[in-house]
Amino acid sequence: MAKSTRGLVLLLAVLLVCACAYVGIRLADKAKTKREEAASEAAEIHVGSVGDAAKLSYTNGGTTLSFTKSSGKWSWDDDADFPLNDSNVASLSTFASGLTATREFEAAEDLANYGLDGSKKLSVTDASGSTLSLLLGNKCSDGETCYAQLESGGDIYTVADSVLDNLAKGIYDMVTLDTISSASKDSISTISLEMGGKTVLLEQVQETVSAASSESSASSSGSSDSSTSSSGSSGSSGSSSSSGTATESVWYVTVDGGKRRALADNEQTTLSGLTSLVNGGLRFSSCVDYKADDAKKAANGLDAPALILKVRWTKSGSSGALDGYELDFGSKGSDGTSYYAMLSDSAQLNLIVSSSYDTLSTSFGAFAG
């Protein structure tokens, strides 16, 4: 009994020692963390700061861009209607808020040798009117920082050089591009292609057939993929009902208002490529003019488009209501890899990759015969 009691006392003593050691280590870690945080704060070099930015401008070379924030959104001072993607401006605003540097030193040579000649400048003003104006210079040899100086003068600082990428962006690098809507193959009602005075109209029609005929067609197609399955020569897909009938999607083509015919089997690959492009494959690569006038359109071939694509589809969740767009293609871009293009209900003149035009023109040629 005495031996058992001594063992229990010994075990409790060991546990107590371990608990004390754990508490001691935790306290030591906390003290170390506080010392490191204090040392880090002491090592930080504060350049300047402003409150919540209300105005911002930056200069790069001979161009100065100015912006104003209202209701949490930035707009371009030259035209408040410009479709601005303000992420770049917001990034510069964050950069200027509580700006710190990695180094601070007196200039040992002419400021121009650091690139601090005033050609790159950032100015941020908060709601109270307090302004931080900073000159930016060359990149440093460490590959991570660049030289900076308050416009009012004083010491030179080294700050994160990512700010130079922000300053390098022109206004058209910050435009919100028009979006070309996507339409899934099953939802498409019509696709129209116009080139050289000719029109090719593709229509997807829901037709009711006998269930036996539908099953026979599905079996002969040898494919359960609705995007490539065919029924006879129509390229159809569908579903059956308990009444002995089935609904099939049948694609027809009409050229210049002539006789409508069902698509042939050898046209299904072309149809799949076309519907795949329409289903999320069309997008603008850049903007040329966000408010193009008739003269600008004509100069880039949009007064008489080389190709016109019109798409109509059934809205998701609607009872048959249709949506759609018209996309016009002009002349080839000077880069040789894109075409001028624009949505018919927009004034935004854009560029789109040549492969989109090529797919559409090839499809037109295949269906026009």
Side-chain angles (χ1 to χ4, degrees):
M1 185 69 176
K3 185 181 291 186
S4 177
T5 301
R6 284 196 300 274
L8 180 59
V9 171
L10 181 60
L11 177 60
L12 289 174
V14 171
L15 289 175
L16 181 60
V17 170
C18 291
C20 290
Y22 174 77
V23 171
I25 291 171
R26 292 286 293 172
L27 290 174
D29 285 344
K30 285 183 179 181
K32 181 182 178 182
T33 299
K34 287 183 178 180
R35 288 195 302 272
E36 289 176 346
E37 289 176 351
S40 177
E41 289 181 6
E44 281 186 346
I45 302 170
H46 293 273
V47 179
S49 64
V50 290
D52 188 24
K55 289 183 173 294
L56 184 149
S57 67
Y58 66 86
T59 299
N60 192 349
T63 302
T64 297
L65 298 173
S66 301
F67 307 89
T68 298
K69 187 165 68 172
S70 177
S71 300
K73 186 72 175 176
W74 289 97
S75 62
W76 184 32
D77 287 355
D78 284 14
D79 187 348
D81 293 329
F82 180 82
L84 179 70
N85 178 339
D86 66 358
S87 59
N88 188 61
V89 182
S91 178
L92 284 169
S93 174
T94 300
F95 171 81
S97 176
L99 179 61
T100 60
T102 57
R103 285 194 298 149
E104 179 182 5
F105 58 91
E106 291 184 7
E109 50 190 300
D110 189 272
L111 292 178
N113 293 331
Y114 299 99
L116 297 169
D117 54 7
S119 61
K120 293 187 285 292
K121 174 184 171 183
L122 171 64
S123 181
V124 182
T125 303
D126 63 22
S128 69
S130 178
T131 299
L132 174 67
S133 292
L134 192 69
L135 303 179
L136 283 307
N138 300 331
K139 288 189 175 185
C140 301
S141 58
D142 62 7
E144 297 178 350
T145 60
C146 66
Y147 298 112
Q149 183 188 43
L150 292 173
E151 189 178 25
S152 57
D155 288 346
I156 294 176
Y157 302 92
T158 56
V159 299
D161 64 7
S162 57
V163 66
L164 298 180
D165 294 330
N166 297 117
L167 295 186
K169 291 189 177 181
I171 193 64
Y172 275 98
D173 295 317
M174 297 181 281
V175 68
T176 299
L177 293 172
D178 280 345
T179 300
I180 305 171
S181 299
S182 298
S184 66
K185 183 176 182 180
D186 290 342
S187 71
I188 295 172
S189 174
T190 62
I191 299 176
S192 171
L193 294 167
E194 300 176 26
M195 287 187 75
K198 273 189 173 184
T199 300
V200 168
L201 177 64
L202 294 160
E203 300 174 86
Q204 183 172 204
V205 179
Q206 303 299 319
E207 296 187 349
T208 301
V209 297
S210 68
S213 174
S214 176
E215 290 173 2
S216 174
S217 173
S219 174
S220 64
S221 71
S223 172
S224 60
D225 184 349
S226 63
S227 67
T228 57
S229 64
S230 62
S231 175
S233 60
S234 63
S236 63
S237 62
S239 60
S240 61
S241 68
S242 58
S243 63
T245 61
T247 300
E248 289 187 341
S249 298
V250 183
W251 284 86
Y252 291 92
V253 60
T254 305
V255 180
D256 280 342
K259 185 177 179 180
R260 189 175 78 164
R261 65 173 178 81
L263 293 188
D265 287 343
N266 61 4
E267 294 174 308
Q268 297 307 310
T269 299
T270 302
L271 175 66
S272 293
L274 177 58
T275 55
S276 177
L277 182 66
V278 169
N279 188 19
L282 290 168
R283 59 183 61 87
F284 296 119
S285 56
S286 62
C287 179
V288 177
D289 193 326
Y290 73 101
K291 201 159 51 176
D293 57 19
D294 289 342
K296 192 65 173 282
K297 294 176 187 177
N300 294 287
L302 272 306
D303 55 335
L307 187 154
I308 298 174
L309 167 68
K310 297 177 182 177
V311 183
R312 300 282 287 173
W313 66 90
T314 303
K315 290 182 179 180
S316 177
S318 70
S319 55
L322 296 178
D323 202 350
Y325 64 79
E326 175 185 320
L327 178 61
D328 301 334
F329 289 78
S331 53
K332 202 163 192 177
S334 57
D335 60 3
T337 63
S338 57
Y339 278 83
Y340 294 103
M342 61 192 307
L343 293 168
S344 62
D345 61 352
S346 172
Q348 191 176 108
L349 175 61
N350 300 301
L351 288 171
I352 194 168
V353 293
S354 296
S355 57
S356 296
Y357 178 93
D358 295 341
T359 296
L360 295 172
S361 60
T362 298
S363 298
F364 174 88
F367 294 127

